[in-house]
């Protein structure tokens, strides 16, 4: 990453693989006087799908930003692309969901306050009130939605309405201890990032550190993924691990694991914010 | 590890935890003029079990080596210990089982030839003939046991007989592509070391790299464990991982994974050779 | 780590190696009805020095806590030990020094607030005012000491006085951008923990990420060490690294490095708090 | 990597950055009916240099392989490129230099024999005779060049002549314990790969593990780099590390380090064989 006074445009593209795609796209940028900053492409040879991320400077670009998408559309349709266009000077709006564990939340907020990320965080949603004061310290609204078996559907609808009201682009579950219903998940497809405290697919579900302890593993891990209707089975964005040994009790694993969880989640958010992720067949292509 | 002209004695101990165990053992060594080289102990607070590994120099030790076990037995029985005694100048005898993949085999043989390990390897057993010439290059016998559904029980009995004949202490499955029957496993309890090409408990069974590719994981791994009657479920000795990304095909994962497999297996063998492993409740204590 | 209602006592010991040390110490604990929770020992064979950390429960221990040190002293003098005795229910008092980077500070404060560490943090000292409000949010005093060439000696004396007043046990330099004078360092021997943003001994001194970028390394790291009179040359407590590649600008290295810095510093503080560190010949023994 | 019956062509390019480079190159491939398999590009914004690696299938490519370089030359000259063109069905020819340590040699030979790499290894050169029999086992010639102060210049000239005779493309120093003279190095610019047993730039020169032990580091590493006239200062290709602690003697570090050395060297060779490396300003761009 290097900084510039001019915004950049980023195109994310997926389409059936065929000859001439890269030539067509880079010619489009070149003819309109764009200077490519980053270009990554990938072909899934098994599925015959082409993926691309290209970022170019808008300095001197011939097409006004509000028309880029439409003009590019001719190429897009020719190659039967799914594509999305993003400009670097438009911050995404992120909501954080929390329960009672603060390590991921603090890690996010410290980055937010230091300006590490280009993001706006207007609201934190909790099913417990524990972090209300912390939210306010960082100048962020806090909304409490207590959850019971009976009110879950209703509360989720209220949450969705609130997220719409705050014009939220994507949601981060920072060790949020509630399973989202399918209808909530469908409202934000590939826009809800979770952190699970194991190296998936090992130890799906509750209490993975207890399961890891019982199995006697020598490494523990954490996995950040997009939430889908299947528990802990969405597209993986990032994973990491740390070593443990026989001296480590479950409590030690939980303590060591927290450090992995917070870094893995924050790296996943970074990729999402930088528009580096393409999803296909429940897997991620990360142009990092 | 430091070298000495005198052998060392190593005691491995497990017993119910109680006060005074360490004092009793170290006093035994001190009274008999032993100099402790390494001492590790661990208490599993949940199970209330005490584990210890103590290694001392036999230089000037008051008890002759053939009597140490018997003399120590008084303490051992007092504390209801399971214990074993080993001398560093007695090499263990190891057999290698192979099929068609050579990376683990070569890694072991290179260490063997360089003298990295104190071990004797008198025989390699294959269910395919591929590595017969390699075995002979390193001065090791090679025995072929082709396997069919019909002859498996018979062949395994012949293998056991051969291992007894060669006075084998422990067996290493160096990517051996046959599942051992329970009766074979029971003949060498906690003496058969396997390498599985995933970070267990993820991807148990066949074709773990294909499963990892399909799931879209960002890390792959390998696990070395003692073989028990349950497939890929024995006590884990060592694990490690490497990163992969969307560019990696299944073939890339297999290639990258081989490097992890061979190191993880060789580290497990190292711990075994150094008498650093205690097994309890299907988990390992590694005093490394 | 497991929790107990009773405090534990921890002895840290270093002395010339000789036979019978472990027996003498464990017999002392056993005779007085102590139950050993952890015991680690190490012999530096090259220097002939013996190191030990032993932790036992004070539940039912025959010697009252205020007399343990004196009673143990007989053994200590017999073996010419340097030793120190600590009780787990007495929190250490830590001061944090900061300048303008907040990532290590936030990492520490989040752990402090969550109760991960048994520590008291009564005061944060800054040479810039940036984190005054943050300190107050966490209920911690903030003291500003602006530094110029002319006032440095005077300000450091005032800092030392303040630390004495707050009864500070040890100091953490959380990316504090001032070099401490020898007289300050001598006031807190092996009680000042620094984080340096390189894998020492590579890239000593200022701007290590710029130097790493210029050299074209494929890994960057961070090192936590006790501060001595020699710049970045004190005993290393903990190190870790992360991978970089040609895509990473200096700014990317700084960003990625921050995550390593904060974890490495916090792990070093953990070892210090847990009384797991012995220093000898400018090196650390970490009984972790 | 995926396999195909048709060879692929790979272009490696470096030139001053300007608009339209990617468009020009991909248009060249597209117009001639080439299907791009991999495309990576990088801009060094500080130095304003553009780097690219593009690999396409020769299946149905309109230009015969013997003419591709000439035809591409028009574009190359227009953009003032340094470029090189390679075809995947032409194996590179590699020579290995060894002394008395065999771990890197065995690691290479096992990959060679298993067919992991597309490479020919016609000759191993030693300054000691230790691995002559090993070379022959793998069907490789072995040439002994004993070195003394007096004969070094002469012997190196004979080595160069031998390498020319064997049509060697590049040389791998597999823990070869002789410093090459500048005239040797100049004969194979960026074609001599060395493995140094430290995480450079820490511990340049002889006995890095002894130096690491003396400094008390918590990580040790290995670095593979192209050899230049400055000792251990050439462009870094690959690095990796492993953890050590106070229990590790120098001998343990040497043992643990060997595993890192061999993997790091083999990964560097892989990148070199796959034509993934571009060198600029004594740094490497690795399109891996």
């Amino acid at each position: 990453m290097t900084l510039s006074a001019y915004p950049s445009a980023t195109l994310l593209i997926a389409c059936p693989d065929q000859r001439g795609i890269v030539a067509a796209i880079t010619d489009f940028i070149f003819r309109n006087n764009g200077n490519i900053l980053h270009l990554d492409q990938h072909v899934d040879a098994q599925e015959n799908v082409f993926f691309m991320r290209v970022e170019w400077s808008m300095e001197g670009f011939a097409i006004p930003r509000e028309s880029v998408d439409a003009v590019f559309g001719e190429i897009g349709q020719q190659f039967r692309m799914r594509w999305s266009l993003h400009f670097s000077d438009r911050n995404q709006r992120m909501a954080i969901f929390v329960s009672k564990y603060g390590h991921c939340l603090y890690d996010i907020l410290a980055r937010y306050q230091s300006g590490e990320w280009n993001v706006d965080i207007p609201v934190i949603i909790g099913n417990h009130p524990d972090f209300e004061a912390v939210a306010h310290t960082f100048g962020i609204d806090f909304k409490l939605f207590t959850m019971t078996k009976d009110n879950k559907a209703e509360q989720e609808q209220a949450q969705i309405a609130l997220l719409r009201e705050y014009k939220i682009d994507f949601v981060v579950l920072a060790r949020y201890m509630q399973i989202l219903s399918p209808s909530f998940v469908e409202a934000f497809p590939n826009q809800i990032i979770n952190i699970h405290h194991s190296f998936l697919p090992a130890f799906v579900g509750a209490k993975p550190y207890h399961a890891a302890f019982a199995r006697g593993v020598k490494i523990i891990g954490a996995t950040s993924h997009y939430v889908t209707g299947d528990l802990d089975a969405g597209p993986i964005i990032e994973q990491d691990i740390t070593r443990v040994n026989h001296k480590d009790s479950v409590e030690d694993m939980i303590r060591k694991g927290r450090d992995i969880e917070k870094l893995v989640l924050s790296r996943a958010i970074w990729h999402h914010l930088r528009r580096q992720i393409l999803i296909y067949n429940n897997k991620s292509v990360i142009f990092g």
Side-chain angles (χ1 to χ4, degrees), chain A:
Chain A
M1 184 179 63
T2 41
L3 301 173
S4 164
Y6 291 85
S8 64
T10 297
L11 263 172
L12 291 174
I13 294 163
C15 64
D17 191 29
Q18 57 189 291
R19 294 174 199 221
I21 307 175
V22 181
I25 296 166
T26 56
D27 181 62
F28 163 79
I29 296 169
F30 174 57
R31 274 188 292 106
N32 292 296
N33 203 34
N35 194 32
I36 292 172
L37 302 172
H38 298 285
L39 183 154
D40 290 283
Q41 62 100 48
H42 171 64
V43 176
D44 184 327
Q46 207 170 318
E47 303 283 342
N48 202 43
V49 182
F50 172 89
F51 301 94
M52 189 169 181
R53 180 189 188 275
V54 59
E55 183 178 351
W56 70 93
S57 172
M58 289 298 288
E59 181 178 2
F61 196 60
I63 307 175
R65 62 190 288 167
E66 60 276 14
S67 308
V68 175
D69 197 69
V71 177
F72 180 77
E74 288 179 43
I75 295 168
Q77 278 149 26
Q78 178 190 342
F79 288 94
R80 289 182 291 145
M81 294 176 182
R82 281 189 299 121
W83 80 89
S84 62
L85 176 70
H86 313 279
F87 295 99
S88 63
D89 56 358
R90 194 286 215 185
N91 273 7
Q92 292 182 68
R93 293 171 68 79
M94 162 174 149
I96 308 172
F97 280 47
V98 287
S99 294
K100 289 171 155 285
Y101 299 113
H103 52 287
C104 289
L105 178 66
Y106 273 114
D107 197 73
I108 291 168
L109 294 177
R111 293 171 203 270
Y112 179 56
Q113 190 156 83
S114 73
E116 180 175 313
W117 292 341
N118 293 322
V119 70
D120 296 332
I121 308 180
V123 65
I124 295 172
I125 288 176
N127 63 332
H128 295 280
D130 304 45
F131 295 108
E132 175 156 17
V134 173
H136 294 160
T137 297
F138 286 83
I140 301 172
D141 293 349
F142 183 89
K143 303 289 177 182
L144 177 65
F145 289 82
T146 53
M147 291 286 189
T148 65
K149 269 184 204 166
D150 295 334
N151 73 358
K152 184 168 177 174
E154 193 184 336
Q155 287 289 68
E156 283 196 341
Q157 288 310 308
Q159 289 174 335
I160 292 173
L162 189 82
L163 295 172
R164 300 297 186 208
E165 193 182 310
Y166 274 101
K167 299 188 192 320
I168 293 302
D169 291 302
F170 73 107
V171 171
V172 169
L173 308 182
R175 294 297 311 276
Y176 181 64
M177 301 280 89
Q178 283 280 326
I179 295 175
L180 302 179
S181 70
S183 66
F184 190 110
V185 172
E186 282 158 24
F188 294 92
N190 290 336
Q191 299 291 352
I192 305 171
I193 300 175
N194 186 39
I195 180 71
H196 182 73
H197 38 317
S198 82
F199 50 89
L200 289 174
F203 308 124
V204 168
K207 295 202 175 278
Y209 293 123
H210 290 77
F213 179 82
R215 179 63 185 91
V217 295
K218 300 301 182 185
I219 54 178
I220 55 171
T223 304
S224 187
H225 63 93
Y226 287 116
V227 177
T228 61
D230 294 327
L231 183 65
D232 300 333
I236 293 172
I237 306 170
E238 173 67 340
Q239 299 187 285
D240 212 342
I241 59 99
T242 193
R243 297 188 78 81
V244 291
N245 62 41
H246 62 270
K247 293 183 196 173
D248 291 302
S249 64
V250 172
E251 289 71 32
D252 290 318
M253 289 186 179
I254 291 170
R255 175 177 54 81
K256 290 183 171 183
R258 282 196 295 259
D259 284 352
I260 306 301
E261 293 163 28
K262 71 187 187 190
L263 291 197
V264 165
L265 178 58
S266 286
R267 292 204 296 253
I269 296 171
W270 168 264
H271 290 308
H272 186 91
L273 288 172
R274 298 279 295 164
R275 309 285 189 184
Q276 297 175 334
I277 310 178
L278 279 157
I279 299 298
Y280 188 80
N281 269 4
N282 204 45
K283 295 167 65 171
S284 69
V285 171
I286 312 273
F287 289 129

